[in-house]
Amino acid sequence: MTARRIAVVLKGYPRLSETFIAQEILALERRGIGLDIWSLRRPTDRFRHPMHEAIRAPVAYLPEYLRDDPRRVLRGLAWACRQRSFAALLRVFLKDLRRDPTASRLRRLGQALVLAREVSPEVAHFHVHFLHTPGSVARYAALLSARGWSFSAHAKDIWTTPDWELTEKLADAQWGVTCTRDGLARLDALGPGRTRLAYHGLDLARFPAAPADRPPRDGRDPEAPLKLLCVGRLVAKKGHDDLFAALGALPAGLQWRLDLIGAGELRAELERLARERGLAARITFHGALPQPAIIVAMREADLFVLPTKPAEGGDRDGLPNVLMEAASQELPVLATAFAGTPEFITDGTHGILVPPGEPKALADAMTALFSDPEKRRRLGRAARARLVQDFSEDAGIDLIAAALARSAGIALPAREDAA
């Protein structure tokens, strides 16, 4: 009997900013599930994480724009016209197109035609990361090829997709998961009982033990400035503008340096903002880096800062994995009480949380933490204990692996055999 497989549909693969997806794919493979990866676009990052090298799943790329490979799209259309479910697909698509008459909607249909035609006969089920555009491709391809589909919803897809579209996708999918209670509440309001909570967690085996100790820097010595670290894409929802405003409001005598890791559309604007505020000499823009380099930076830093907030159009974070990565190294965290962050960090216990969009509160919290190395040490240790006790990778992966196995008719090997 041919082994059944799962087709994992992604917007882009591999992506440095989506370590949580790579971690999940690798963990599912280790559970004994055969995967094929289908990406809507080719990667643009210069680096790859070690996890990407460990993943065995074959990767196929759909034409990002239909004009990129019109013959492939036409072959998909010709094949689709011969399928019994083509009329049903057209009804669903035309209904969507009336409410969303965009080139993007047409592109998703074309990609779905290619996917449905080219996917391996061994694939018994589609699983998609993100419910917005990737969810449309997976939904159309599943309908056309008479397969089931499921989803992992994360952040932007939950908060920026129209209610009508989320409602219909939730009704069509066999099941889904999301990574925060915040997101689960929104999805449950539109499709009760269709989604379960599955935190990404962290595979601690991939991380070194936390540093034995950190220098008790307090920002008073010009020769030993406090080292701040922020890791996140340079996009509005990460709140870098608030971070720069807070840094500009710190007492003049405090000595600090900021390492900013991440790439994105706002880099030029943020570099200009740093110059205008007189901060440029203290901030290093590193761009996107692979995970080993990020862990080195976390081990050398004194404080991790991530002031996420809602962006224009409703985009927002889920539970940023970098917070858990910082906790793995006992690096104290200063963040905002927003989205999924308070589900991991309790203010004053596992880190410090301030209201989103309030640079003064951020500056006051930084000033207090600068002068208290012992508190930083205590917060870092508590965050790691929280991570180990409640946010290991296993619980979420066990839930997803079992659901995928049921949907695809796969018999999972015993855990020790899968490993």
Side-chain angles (χ1 to χ4, degrees), residues 167 170-171 184-195:
T167 300
L170 288 167
L184 179 63
R186 169 159 165 77
L187 295 178
D188 265 351
L190 298 172
R194 306 294 294 174
T195 313

Side-chain angles (χ1 to χ4, degrees), residues 243-267:
L243 175 57
F244 286 13
L247 291 171
L250 291 176
L254 285 179
Q255 306 298 318
W256 57 268
R257 296 291 185 273
L258 170 66
D259 286 301
L260 185 54
I261 297 176
E265 60 199 37
L266 295 183
R267 175 158 182 166

Side-chain angles (χ1 to χ4, degrees), residues 234 240-249 256 258-260 266-286:
L234 306 185
H240 296 104
D241 55 340
D242 291 342
L243 175 57
F244 286 13
L247 291 171
W256 57 268
L258 170 66
D259 286 301
L260 185 54
L266 295 183
R267 175 158 182 166
E269 181 178 334
L270 290 170
E271 288 177 332
R272 175 186 58 77
L273 187 61
R275 292 192 298 271
E276 290 176 353
R277 293 186 177 276
L279 306 173
R282 295 184 175 197
I283 299 175
T284 301
F285 287 78
H286 292 276

Side-chain angles (χ1 to χ4, degrees), residues 41-64:
R41 59 175 58 167
R42 292 185 177 273
T44 57
D45 295 325
R46 291 186 300 148
F47 302 107
R48 291 164 64 96
H49 292 309
M51 282 185 295
H52 294 135
E53 305 301 336
I55 289 169
R56 301 187 304 272
V59 184
Y61 293 96
L62 298 169
E64 182 173 354

Side-chain angles (χ1 to χ4, degrees), residues 379-408:
L379 292 172
R381 289 175 177 171
R384 180 177 170 84
R386 166 79 162 149
L387 172 67
V388 171
Q389 179 175 329
D390 299 319
F391 282 82
S392 69
E393 174 192 49
D394 284 346
I397 293 298
D398 286 347
L399 187 158
I400 294 169
L404 287 172
R406 286 194 300 270
S407 296

